[in-house]
Amino acid sequence: MAVPALTPHTDPPRSVPLREARTRFSQLVALAELTDAVTVVTRDGDPRPVAAIVPAAAARSGAQARADADRLATVTAGWARRLDEQHRRSGQRHAAELGAVRAALAEVWAELERRVVPGSDPALARLRAAHSDLLAG
């Protein structure tokens, strides 16, 4: 029993005139089934494609393709909305947590200033300078 090829073909589809396609139809169908090959059928003497012999899984109607595209657009839009909402909530949560940290740090520095004379300890002065961006906001 033959198994379809697992690797995708990057070769361009072969082009066959209609007269040859009639003669080799069974062979071209087997080729499509077993190797996922696409064969473009042209009119005799005209290089423009008029039909194609493709694997059954690849054949879809225009309506199916549009329905798939519409469904994909709907799903994508839904995920985009959910991600935007999650981003908004995450930003709000981060802002609230940062506000709580700033308030706690301000309390700690207020208590330190009550217990230690400002400017008397150089290490505390360096720490206060390091925290200045958090204390100012």
Side-chain angles (χ1 to χ4, degrees):
M1 182 169 156
V3 178
L6 297 177
T7 57
H9 293 285
T10 57
D11 302 331
R14 71 184 72 227
S15 181
V16 176
L18 183 56
R19 186 170 308 185
E20 184 181 341
R22 282 188 202 126
T23 307
R24 297 179 47 205
F25 186 72
S26 294
Q27 178 189 12
L28 295 173
V29 168
L31 193 62
E33 179 184 21
L34 298 175
T35 66
D36 289 335
V38 175
T39 303
V40 175
V41 179
T42 61
R43 295 225 181 262
D44 297 327
D46 186 356
R48 292 179 298 176
V50 293
I53 300 171
V54 297
R60 296 185 339 199
S61 71
Q64 288 170 321
R66 282 189 299 278
D68 289 348
D70 291 345
R71 187 180 62 77
L72 181 62
T74 302
V75 168
T76 302
W79 276 108
R81 277 193 307 277
R82 286 192 276 292
L83 287 172
D84 287 344
E85 178 63 22
Q86 180 62 28
H87 184 259
R88 187 187 62 74
R89 282 194 309 247
S90 176
Q92 289 174 338
R93 206 170 28 251
H94 176 74
E97 290 169 357
L98 184 58
V101 167
R102 283 181 169 160
L105 190 58
E107 273 184 54
V108 168
W109 278 109
E111 185 63 28
L112 276 172
E113 287 174 356
R114 276 194 294 278
R115 294 175 184 241
V116 178
V117 177
S120 65
D121 188 344
L124 280 178
R126 280 193 303 277
L127 279 173
R128 186 157 183 62
H131 293 154
S132 65
D133 61 324
L134 290 171
L135 294 173

